[in-house]
Amino acid sequence: AQRVTQPEKLLSVFKGAPVELKCNYSYSGSPELFWYVQYSRQRLQLLLRHISRESIKGFTADLNKGETSFHLKKPFAQEEDSAMYYCALSGRANSGYSTLTFGKGTMLLVSP
Amino acid sequence: ETGVTQSPTHLIKTRGQQVTLRCSSQSGHNTVSWYQQALGQGPQFIFQYYREEENGRGNFPPRFSGLQFPNYSSELNVNALELDDSALYLCASSKGATASYEQYFGPGTRLTVT
């Protein structure tokens, strides 16, 4: 079974502070990991995926297979980063197609 | 390029009734996935349709069913509604069924069962 755990419901930081949103996963194969973000009154959208290894809006995430983690990091938080962040895992279903399993999400609040 | 749209935005149903939710996929996309998001939870996968066939299903009972049409739009049907079915229902479309294809989400339909 595949599972994604985001231990923090809420993370509150001041502008300019470093941010780390934690994500741990459980999956027996080789997973693909994603971070999705939902800004206020907007729809859920992809922020980044581990396979692309790129930085989006200053955020990075490294897949650590030994610790089964995919934490999202940003060195200096901005107020516009305030949003709900979901970590998601894609594993191959029996049919051979992939499904997304989401964590419960972490609300990031960046105060001025 | 038109994004994913869902209808209706909100609806209220009574326990035991049936409901149909609709999703129009983004232009050029042939895959639609449906998710249920209960309050305070992340989206939970219901099923996926690829080229009009169901090709993946999550842990939901058979009273959750769906369709995909030749234009790749999709419907989610829920029979014998229960109070626990109250949730935000999201659909997402993509160019293909594997994880290499980004899923684009709609705004969701808020279903309340009383």
Side-chain angles (χ1 to χ4, degrees):
Chain A
Q2 51 196 62
R3 181 176 295 173
V4 176
T5 302
Q6 293 180 252
E8 303 140 328
K9 283 188 177 180
L10 173 66
L11 183 62
S12 186
V13 302
F14 288 105
K15 177 182 173 181
V19 169
E20 183 179 50
L21 300 171
K22 297 189 188 303
C23 172
N24 288 90
Y25 68 89
S26 172
Y27 184 65
S28 56
S30 292
E32 297 192 50
L33 275 296
F34 306 82
W35 277 98
Y36 280 79
V37 62
Q38 187 165 26
Y39 300 102
S40 179
R41 299 180 184 179
Q42 294 187 28
R43 59 188 67 188
L44 196 59
Q45 59 186 285
L46 179 65
L47 179 63
L48 55 79
R49 59 178 75 187
H50 91 269
I51 247 177
S52 57
R53 301 182 66 83
E54 56 189 348
S55 172
I56 304 292
K57 298 184 178 181
F59 284 98
T60 59
D62 291 320
L63 178 60
N64 185 324
K65 292 187 178 180
E67 296 183 358
T68 59
S69 68
F70 187 56
H71 302 328
L72 183 67
K73 299 177 183 178
K74 184 169 182 176
F76 307 104
Q78 303 298 314
E79 290 178 68
E80 55 265 29
D81 295 329
S82 295
M84 193 72 174
Y85 291 81
Y86 294 95
C87 181
L89 175 156
S90 180
R92 192 155 297 279
N94 290 336
S95 65
Y97 293 98
S98 297
T99 64
L100 277 176
T101 298
F102 285 85
K104 291 185 178 182
T106 298
M107 173 66 77
L108 174 64
L109 287 177
V110 182
S111 304
Chain B
E1 185 177 77
T2 307
V4 178
T5 60
Q6 292 186 243
S7 63
T9 307
H10 302 88
L11 75 167
I12 300 173
K13 290 285 189 177
T14 303
R15 189 171 52 184
Q17 286 188 315
Q18 178 265 344
V19 70
T20 297
L21 310 182
R22 294 178 175 82
C23 172
S24 291
S25 57
Q26 190 162 313
S27 176
H29 290 188
N30 57 22
T31 303
V32 172
S33 302
W34 285 92
Y35 296 85
Q36 180 195 66
Q37 186 172 19
L39 201 59
Q41 304 292 316
Q44 188 176 358
F45 176 73
I46 303 174
F47 45 55
Q48 182 183 79
Y49 278 83
Y50 171 67
R51 293 187 174 179
E52 303 180 58
E53 299 273 341
E54 181 182 301
N55 72 340
R57 189 176 184 92
N59 189 26
F60 280 82
R63 59 190 185 82
F64 285 78
S65 63
L67 282 173
Q68 187 177 33
F69 300 100
N71 66 354
Y72 302 128
S73 65
S74 177
E75 285 183 357
L76 164 65
N77 299 291
V78 187
N79 293 322
L81 283 167
E82 300 177 0
L83 297 179
D84 284 349
D85 296 333
S86 295
L88 181 69
Y89 288 83
L90 298 169
C91 79
S93 73
S94 53
K95 289 185 179 179
T98 63
S100 59
Y101 296 100
E102 180 177 346
Q103 293 194 20
Y104 292 81
F105 283 81
T109 293
R110 173 75 60 188
L111 171 65
T112 301
V113 182
T114 62

